[in-house]
Each structure stands twice: as structure tokens, then as C-alpha cells.
Amino acid sequence: SRTGRLNKPSVCSTAFILGMATAPYPTAGAPAAPPQAVEFKTRVQLFISCTNLVDKDVFSKSDPICVVDLLQGSIDISRGKFVEVGRTEHIKDNLNPSFTTAIVLDYFFEEVQHLKFILYDVDSPSANLRAGGGELLGTANVQLGKIVAAGTFTMDLELPGGRKGKSGKVKIVAEEVSAVDEDVEMTWTATKLDKKDFFGKSDPFLIFSRVNMDGSFASVHRTEVIKNTLDPSWRPFSISSRQLCNSDHSRQIRI
């Protein structure tokens, strides 16, 4: 009522209840329409990093990639089936990777969603990991709700037959995806960089990281490596504002 009074519903009024909308009151003799349930969900992005991974390579370090599976068919792990919902990029020679590829998925507020994070050491990102195309570095199981509630969630990786805590750790940063998205185009150069190689010049690249709520940083973009130069000019690139800063233009970015 526009006058502020609570009037008795008429046959053409509509009632709204939290999470449910009902159709107008039916006329005499007409069957009542069932209420339409509304799903409470939001879109979240997960940024993944690891520390102290197992070294599987003989003459170098492991080349990790992270695959994320979601349990489907049941909330009981023994009855459901884990299905892949995303994977990160492949990083060469790194036991402490900070992946820039975010895993984006729907978070349902009133559902239990089991996730499994699987770290592999692979020679090629296109390898069939499920068919033995990579060596297992460790796994971790957790409910998505726990990650979202914490914002930043760290847990031990485990290997079959291995001791817990001896296979490194995985850290997941969760954040709700902004409704706003823009393309940001950048071109970066540098001059007079420090010489780090003994027989040549440096091989520079850039890593862009955005600050998290707890003050830590999550990597969101990595440029190509330019060999043997102290004055690099990297290729122009485009990145979404959601990926770069979750569309918050005042957010701190570390380069």
C-alpha cells in the first residue's frame, strides 16, 4: 500500500517471501500454482598457490599444474564422483608456484560442495593427467564453504602412503566475482635492469599480483620471458578487470 497501511490481499496482489515467489491468488476453481524456489548462489574465483612441493625431477625442479575437481552426484565422498571444473596454467621448475589462472565456479550457500585440489608434475600442459601423463605431487580435499568463509585457506597436501605435512602446502584465496568487468590493455617496458646472469644478461619477466583482504598477494598475470636483455619491451596484453583487481580501481597491485 502506498499509504503505508497493510491492506488485505486481493485476487490480483502478489506476495514475496525470502527465497520464494508465489503467483497471484487464483480465482475460484483454478488450481494453485506451486511456488518457484530461488537458488541462493554467487560466483566465486579461487586463486591457488603452493609452497614446498615435492621435487620429482632429477636435474631440475618439478613443473606443477593444479587441477580442481568438484564432487557431483552426492554429498557423500564415497558415493559421489569428482569431476574437473578447472585447472591452472603449467609453471616450469618451481616448488613454490603462484598460479595466475583463477578457478571460477558457482558457490551455493545452502549446499555442501566438496572440492579436491590435485597437484601434478607434468612435462606438457596438454598431457592426459588422468591417464598417467603426470606425476602426482599431492592432493587436498576441502568444502568450498570453508574456503569462502575463511577468505584465505591453507592446508597440507598429501601423497598416498606419505606422511601428512611432508608434501607441501596449498593456499586458496576466495573472492566473490564482481558484476562489473572491463578489458584493461597494457604495454610495459623497462630500462637498465640489474644483470643477474654470469655469462649473459638477465632474462626478465613481470608478475602482476593483487592484494588480498589479509594483506597477502595473489598472482593474476605473468608476462613472457625475454632472453638476454636489460632493456626489455614486453608484448602488449589485455586482461579483464575482474582478474586484475576484481574491478576495484583503488585496489593495490604489485608488479
Side-chain angles (χ1 to χ4, degrees):
S1 170
R2 294 182 180 179
T3 62
R5 295 177 305 183
L6 184 60
N7 295 329
K8 182 179 179 180
S10 64
V11 293
C12 59
S13 65
T14 303
F16 290 96
I17 306 174
L18 180 63
M20 184 178 299
T22 61
Y25 285 95
T27 57
Q36 300 294 317
V38 177
E39 290 183 313
F40 290 100
K41 66 178 182 179
T42 188
R43 201 80 166 152
V44 296
Q45 50 189 347
L46 307 179
F47 288 93
I48 303 167
S49 59
C50 301
T51 54
N52 300 321
L53 293 179
V54 176
D55 192 356
K56 292 287 187 178
D57 292 352
V58 177
F59 298 106
S60 62
K61 298 177 182 178
S62 296
D63 309 316
I65 187 174
C66 182
V67 177
V68 181
D69 288 354
L70 173 66
L71 185 68
Q72 297 184 2
S74 174
I75 61 173
D76 186 347
I77 293 180
S78 63
R79 296 181 179 180
K81 178 181 179 182
F82 278 103
V83 177
E84 181 178 333
V85 291
R87 61 177 62 188
T88 67
E89 77 277 14
H90 170 231
I91 297 181
K92 299 281 288 183
D93 297 329
N94 199 325
L95 302 182
N96 302 285
S98 183
F99 300 102
T100 62
T101 302
I103 307 299
V104 181
L105 68 163
D106 288 327
Y107 168 58
F108 294 89
F109 292 96
E110 297 181 357
E111 291 186 15
V112 176
Q113 294 171 270
H114 290 284
L115 293 179
K116 177 184 288 187
F117 296 84
I118 314 169
L119 274 296
Y120 292 98
D121 172 33
V122 296
D123 295 324
S124 170
S126 60
N128 188 343
L129 303 178
R130 309 290 182 176
E135 289 190 82
L136 185 64
L137 295 175
T139 65
N141 289 28
V142 66
Q143 293 179 17
L144 178 57
K146 291 184 178 181
I147 301 175
V148 172
T152 300
F153 194 88
T154 302
M155 53 188 167
D156 291 328
L157 291 166
E158 297 185 38
L159 278 170
R163 293 174 57 189
K164 188 173 182 179
K166 297 297 183 180
S167 302
K169 294 180 180 293
V170 58
K171 182 175 81 170
I172 305 102
V173 176
E175 190 169 341
E176 186 176 9
V177 176
S178 171
V180 179
D181 196 16
E182 306 161 309
D183 286 329
V184 180
E185 295 184 355
M186 295 188 185
T187 300
W188 287 82
T189 64
T191 58
K192 299 181 180 180
L193 295 181
D194 194 18
K195 181 178 178 296
K196 294 296 185 182
D197 292 353
F198 187 77
F199 293 107
K201 301 177 181 179
S202 297
D203 305 320
F205 63 97
L206 299 177
I207 296 178
F208 294 77
S209 304
R210 73 189 198 187
V211 69
N212 300 316
M213 294 294 293
D214 62 355
S216 63
F217 285 84
S219 298
V220 295
H221 182 75
R222 183 183 291 104
T223 67
E224 77 278 10
V225 176
I226 301 181
K227 292 287 189 178
N228 199 35
T229 181
L230 302 182
D231 303 287
S233 294
W234 290 277
R235 291 193 300 266
F237 65 90
S238 178
I239 184 173
S240 74
S241 62
R242 285 177 180 170
Q243 176 82 0
L244 180 64
C245 58
N246 207 20
S247 301
D248 179 0
H249 293 184
S250 63
R251 191 167 191 165
Q252 185 179 1
I253 302 296
R254 184 177 66 186
I255 303 169

